[in-house]
């Protein structure tokens, strides 16, 4: 996790299956990570720009991998309100395509300062 290795602290930082009430919750109501970013674990999966390839990290650079150049699905990260702790870890990613609607997937709008 971005806050350390202890699953016992997860409820302070994330909405997940044990504390979400089976729904999404208001953004920013849990603690931020050390960079001041909220909801990097749980609440909704973050739909990312990166293409998904389940084998990519086996041959990728160890530092700052950029992901595959093309693909069929995009990466999702962070887990959601309906997931167990394993799936809301920073290291876990999955795939997603926008033709599958889901209340457990969203995206983060980024604007340069």
């Amino acid at each position: 996790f971005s806050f350390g290795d202890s699953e016992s602290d997860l409820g302070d930082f994330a909405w997940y299956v044990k504390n979400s009430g089976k729904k999404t919750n208001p953004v920013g109501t849990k603690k931020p990570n050390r960079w001041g970013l909220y909801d990097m674990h749980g609440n909704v999966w973050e739909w990312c720009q990166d293409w998904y390839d389940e084998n990519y990290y086996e041959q990728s650079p160890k530092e700052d991998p950029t992901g595959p150049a093309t693909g069929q699905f995009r990466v999702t990260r962070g887990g959601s309100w309906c997931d167990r702790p394993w799936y809301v870890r920073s290291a876990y990613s999955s795939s997603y395509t926008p033709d599958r609607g889901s209340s457990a997937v969203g995206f983060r709008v980024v604007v340069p300062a």
Side-chain angles (χ1 to χ4, degrees), residues 54-60 62:
E54 70 178 280
N55 300 314
Y56 175 75
Y57 292 107
E58 292 174 9
Q59 69 266 358
S60 72
K62 297 297 179 211

Side-chain angles (χ1 to χ4, degrees), residues 12 23-24 36 38 44 47 52-53 62 67-68 78 80-81 87 95 103:
D12 293 338
K23 62 182 176 69
T24 58
Y38 290 88
V44 296
W47 186 31
Y52 181 79
D53 177 350
K62 297 297 179 211
S80 77
W81 57 269
Y87 299 106
S95 64
S103 64

Side-chain angles (χ1 to χ4, degrees), residues 71-110:
Q72 182 178 5
F73 302 104
R74 298 289 183 168
V75 170
T76 53
R77 295 191 182 282
S80 77
W81 57 269
C82 60
D83 289 312
R84 296 184 311 267
W86 175 264
Y87 299 106
V88 300
R89 295 175 309 120
S90 303
Y92 189 84
S93 65
S94 188
S95 64
Y96 182 74
T97 181
D99 62 355
R100 293 182 357 223
S102 174
S103 64
V105 176
F107 61 94
R108 188 176 300 268
V109 177
V110 179

